[in-house]
Amino acid sequence: MSIAFDQSLILRIENAKTNTEVLTRMCEHLCEKEIVKDTYCEAILERERNFPTGLNTHGINVAIPHADVCHVNKASLCVAVLEPTVDFHAMDEPEDAVAVSLVIMLVLTEPHGHLEMLQKIVGLIQNQEDVKQIIAAEDKRDIEMVIRRHLLET
């Protein structure tokens, strides 16, 4: 599965108040690039309400939202660095809020691709030094390099 990812799919989202605002901005960006269908935004928001994606890493927290493959035109990743953090509901404890700094949106076209990519994301999250590097990066090239190394190189 070929997954598109470049600096144009890395966003810095400042002063967002809610996870809905963060996800909407990311979805709108993907829609403008025609990577997703116009149904994608509602699908991702609905999925987030039913199956929260915040991960408490006991370090820099991450959210990994995705929607069904039927809403996607082209497989890709969209990454957002949040400043300040935004609360997402926890994946394992939906009643709990997790202050998220990094959102890695999976925009995949093959249903089985989510599991493989989630495993790679777990590997990235476990390397908190690399996550810190993403959050602190001034240049999107640095973020792209870390994401590619962990998620896109075999």
Side-chain angles (χ1 to χ4, degrees):
M1 170 174 50
S2 174
I3 298 175
F5 182 69
D6 60 33
Q7 293 172 44
S8 74
L9 293 169
I10 299 169
L11 307 175
R12 292 188 186 282
I13 298 180
E14 297 178 348
N15 302 315
K17 303 288 185 239
T18 66
N19 63 7
T20 299
E21 183 180 347
V22 169
L23 296 174
T24 300
R25 284 200 212 171
M26 293 176 79
C27 292
E28 287 172 349
H29 184 73
L30 291 166
C31 270
E32 287 168 14
K33 297 180 75 58
E34 298 180 349
I35 291 171
V36 298
K37 298 176 178 150
D38 57 5
T39 57
Y40 187 80
C41 195
E42 186 51 46
I44 207 137
L45 293 173
E46 180 68 22
R47 190 168 203 297
E48 188 69 27
R49 282 189 290 273
N50 294 319
F51 303 102
T53 61
L55 284 174
N56 186 345
T57 66
H58 304 290
I60 297 171
N61 298 322
V62 178
I64 42 178
H66 60 279
D68 193 273
V69 298
C70 69
H71 303 285
V72 177
N73 292 325
K74 181 179 180 184
S76 63
L77 295 175
C78 186
V79 173
V81 176
L82 310 181
E83 181 59 43
T85 62
V86 174
D87 283 348
F88 279 69
H89 289 279
M91 190 181 291
D92 57 345
E93 295 288 335
E95 307 78 40
D96 295 347
V98 177
V100 167
S101 297
L102 177 64
V103 180
I104 302 172
M105 186 175 283
L106 305 180
V107 187
L108 304 180
T109 53
E110 297 177 24
H112 66 274
H114 288 102
L115 189 56
E116 179 184 332
M117 188 57 69
L118 287 171
Q119 291 169 332
K120 291 179 179 184
I121 290 171
V122 167
L124 168 62
I125 292 167
Q126 288 173 337
N127 186 331
Q128 282 286 297
E129 285 306 310
D130 280 353
V131 177
K132 285 178 189 166
Q133 187 179 343
I134 291 169
I135 299 304
E138 297 288 326
D139 191 324
K140 288 183 178 183
R141 283 182 297 204
D142 296 332
I143 297 171
E144 181 183 13
M145 191 175 66
V146 174
I147 294 291
R148 279 191 181 283
R149 187 172 68 239
H150 280 279
L151 306 184
L152 300 174
E153 294 174 1
T154 53

